[in-house]
Amino acid sequence: MTLLKNLHETFGTVVNYLFLNLLWLVFSLPVVTIPASATAMFGVINYWKNTGEEDVIRPFITEFKRYFFSSQKVGVIFLGLGLIPLTGFFYVLPKLNNFENMVLILLISFTLIYLLTTVFIFPALSRNDHVNSFYTIRYAFLVSISQFHIAMIALAVTAAMILVVYVFPITLFIGSSMALVINLLFTRALDKVDLLKQKYGLAEEV
């Protein structure tokens, strides 16, 4: 009986994640709603963790509506910031003769910081009620920098998943599993930050 119960629970969990992934894909179809859809997916994972409930549709729609405008703002800002390294690598750097190495180092550094912040931006957004987009970006940035090694693991997981989806497009339907891993890593990073705050008596948020 215990084995059957465990199998039933495991099957239910897998179905929930597949359904969550389907909702994420459907709500991302307009393209411009990708930030809100991604935030909702992380929000549902947090909802499951905090409540122990297994609903999918209701919490997803609730989180989608809740963070729609704030996530869209963050998405627009991050898209604009992403143009900086693209412009640098493809248009500015090829035309430089002097200080090329310095510019290259700056571009690589900015790109790395940008990517590390990106992998934590949606789990950060789904965990706070701040509507200030710059606060959310600052929050994700500081967590990723203060826990650089965890952020690097999250970035590696994201890159690996993108590669797998590129080679095997059907795996896009299990993308919520990547969100689960990123969420766990983000939680781990927050736990580490809390320990540092306690150790050094810091009361201010990261």
Side-chain angles (χ1 to χ4, degrees):
M1 292 297 294
T2 302
L3 178 60
L4 289 176
K5 181 181 179 181
N6 291 337
L7 287 174
H8 182 267
E9 292 178 351
T10 301
F11 179 76
T13 300
V14 170
V15 170
N16 283 340
Y17 274 97
L18 289 175
F19 195 21
L20 175 60
N21 199 87
L22 180 61
L23 286 174
W24 167 62
L25 288 173
V26 170
F27 277 73
S28 296
L29 286 178
V31 180
V32 294
T33 58
I34 289 177
S37 183
T39 304
M41 179 166 59
F42 281 102
V44 172
I45 293 174
N46 290 327
Y47 172 81
W48 288 342
K49 177 183 176 182
N50 295 332
T51 66
E53 298 183 15
E54 298 180 348
D55 295 344
V56 182
I57 297 179
R58 181 177 58 82
F60 185 92
I61 293 176
T62 299
E63 295 295 299
F64 185 86
K65 291 179 178 178
R66 181 184 182 187
Y67 292 107
F68 181 81
F69 291 107
S70 56
S71 61
Q72 295 303 101
K73 291 178 183 178
V74 170
V76 170
I77 293 172
F78 246 69
L79 182 62
L81 290 174
L83 295 176
I84 296 176
L86 286 176
T87 302
F89 281 116
F90 290 102
Y91 295 100
V92 177
L93 195 60
K95 299 179 181 179
L96 293 178
N97 293 320
N98 298 322
F99 307 109
E100 183 172 331
N101 291 335
M102 182 180 296
V103 173
L104 181 60
I105 291 173
L106 290 175
L107 281 174
I108 291 176
S109 300
F110 180 87
T111 302
L112 181 60
I113 292 173
Y114 175 82
L115 293 175
L116 291 176
T117 306
T118 299
V119 295
F120 279 165
I121 195 71
F122 294 117
L125 184 58
S126 68
R127 287 172 182 247
N128 66 78
D129 296 321
H130 296 274
V131 294
N132 189 312
S133 303
F134 290 102
Y135 174 91
T136 302
I137 293 174
R138 170 182 170 273
Y139 183 71
F141 165 74
L142 291 177
V143 172
S144 64
I145 294 302
S146 63
Q147 299 301 317
F148 183 80
H149 61 296
I150 297 178
M152 284 296 295
I153 295 173
L155 181 59
V157 169
T158 303
M161 186 62 187
I162 292 173
L163 179 61
V164 170
V165 171
Y166 178 78
V167 178
F168 306 104
I170 191 65
T171 56
L172 184 63
F173 288 94
I174 58 171
S176 56
S177 60
M178 183 188 75
L180 173 62
V181 175
I182 298 301
N183 203 57
L184 289 173
L185 289 170
F186 185 70
T187 300
R188 178 64 173 168
L190 289 182
D191 290 342
K192 291 281 190 178
V193 169
D194 287 339
L195 289 174
L196 288 175
K197 288 162 63 178
Q198 293 174 11
K199 180 178 179 180
Y200 296 103
L202 300 176
E204 186 180 348
E205 265 189 282
V206 175

